[in-house]
Amino acid sequence: MYRFLFSSKWLGYLLLAAIFAAACVFLGRWQMDRRAETLAEINRVVSNYSAAPVPFVQARDEFTRMDPEKEWTQVELRGRYATEGQRVVRNRTLNGQPGYEVVVPFKLDTGETVVIDRGWLPIGNNTPGHPDSVPEPPAGEVTAIVRLKPGEPQLQRGAPDGQLASIDLPTYSSELGYPLLTGAYGLLASETPPVPDMPAAFPMPATEEGTHLSYSLQWFAFGILMFVGFGYAARQQARNAAIDAQDALEAEEAGLEPMHSTAAASRRRAPVRRRGGKPTAEEEEDAILDAQGF
């Protein structure tokens, strides 16, 4: 009954179903991988974001080579802002609004220098490509609480003077002309003494899982449904073939030729015409019965 499945046509259908199902599995696993990354990020935020700050001496290694699991860890820094090295980073968004971020070198009491991102500024209205104003950090001795973030890759695009295309710490260091700790930088959480004018603070990262799980399940379901559809089509084909075979058998038992039989059609007689004349009524009746399979 299912011998037709070994035909080239149905083997082609099966191959297409397998390719489609494999693509669905790939996309489903990709969504699961993205979900795993999201869950890992959520775990880091929940564990580190609001934990008690650690002193710089305990986190120094993270500023040279950051462990991804330490992202968002709060660190207490003591030193002074080197405002002459202040830069704004282009093409940064906050709540869907374009703008800039302000980064400033921070010279620690230990003699080392790290980078602090003090916050976000909107695009300016006075000079295109520049913020209208950049708030000054506090002068003198400062205690800053920052959250660790890894440095960003270098972007192959330029930036105007006083600006950076990304927070690429080695490039920033070479531009300043003195060494920075380039494993990580700090997102400002608070600073003492405070100043009245500050860039906009960064919000806490979202801790919702999102839709990756539902999307992955949908892709897996699509892959399964492809084979279900293939099986349904094969079953319908087998049922139709069985019905045709039963009809042919019944017709054979009744001594009749099935209407769709090619052999029967080839044996149908055309009306015999007398030479030089029309067929008789009996001949026409025989021809009609032959055409109807009787």
Side-chain angles (χ1 to χ4, degrees):
M1 182 181 296
Y2 287 93
R3 291 179 181 176
F4 65 87
L5 291 175
F6 296 98
S7 67
S8 58
K9 175 182 176 180
W10 281 89
L11 288 175
Y13 289 159
L14 180 60
L15 178 60
L16 289 176
I19 292 173
F20 180 82
C24 289
V25 170
F26 172 81
L27 292 171
R29 295 191 60 170
W30 174 65
Q31 286 289 346
M32 292 297 288
D33 290 341
R34 292 191 63 189
R35 177 175 182 257
E37 294 173 0
T38 301
L39 292 177
E41 174 67 12
I42 290 173
N43 184 62
R44 285 193 291 269
V45 172
V46 172
S47 300
N48 302 334
Y49 192 86
S50 299
V54 299
F56 171 75
V57 292
Q58 293 184 20
R60 186 188 182 284
D61 290 344
E62 308 305 327
F63 281 96
T64 56
R65 186 175 183 179
M66 183 177 164
D67 179 358
E69 295 302 317
K70 299 296 185 181
E71 186 176 2
W72 302 110
T73 297
Q74 293 199 101
V75 182
E76 183 181 287
L77 306 176
R78 297 177 183 273
R80 295 171 176 265
Y81 282 108
T83 55
E84 71 281 356
Q86 178 174 272
R87 300 288 189 273
V88 294
V89 188
R90 298 172 56 83
N91 300 318
R92 317 298 275 203
T93 59
L94 182 65
N95 298 325
Q97 299 298 316
Y100 309 87
E101 291 179 21
V102 183
V103 293
V104 190
F106 190 80
K107 294 185 177 294
L108 299 164
D109 293 341
T110 61
E112 298 158 303
T113 305
V114 298
V115 172
I116 294 180
D117 187 339
R118 298 190 68 237
W120 179 86
L121 297 173
I123 57 175
N125 297 317
N126 299 328
T127 305
H130 294 77
D132 288 338
S133 63
V134 180
E136 289 291 328
E141 191 71 16
V142 176
T143 298
I145 306 298
V146 300
R147 294 185 174 95
L148 290 175
K149 288 287 291 180
E152 299 174 356
Q154 182 181 18
L155 299 181
Q156 299 302 318
R157 64 188 184 203
D161 290 342
Q163 298 189 12
L164 300 173
S166 69
I167 307 179
D168 172 31
L169 297 174
T171 300
Y172 190 12
S173 177
S174 63
E175 184 178 312
L176 292 173
Y178 55 81
L180 298 172
L181 297 182
T182 57
Y185 67 98
L187 286 179
L188 185 64
S190 65
E191 59 189 7
T192 305
V195 290
D197 191 14
M198 285 283 294
F202 298 106
M204 180 178 178
T207 55
E208 290 80 18
E209 179 181 331
T211 57
H212 299 305
L213 178 60
S214 62
Y215 284 162
S216 65
L217 295 177
Q218 288 176 16
W219 282 118
F220 292 143
F222 290 155
I224 294 172
L225 287 174
M226 189 63 183
F227 284 109
V228 171
F230 177 85
Y232 177 79
R235 182 170 179 270
Q236 290 297 107
Q237 177 70 15
R239 290 182 62 185
N240 292 338
I243 292 173
D244 290 343
Q246 182 65 28
D247 289 345
L249 179 60
E250 291 176 355
E252 183 178 353
E253 291 176 349
L256 304 176
E257 292 284 358
M259 287 294 294
H260 58 273
S261 171
T262 304
S266 65
R267 291 196 296 268
R268 290 173 186 156
R269 300 191 305 272
V272 178
R273 296 176 182 271
R274 295 178 181 177
R275 182 176 299 177
K278 296 182 178 181
T280 65
E282 182 179 358
E283 290 171 342
E284 289 180 347
E285 183 178 354
D286 290 340
I288 292 171
L289 291 174
D290 287 341
Q292 293 177 350
F294 293 96

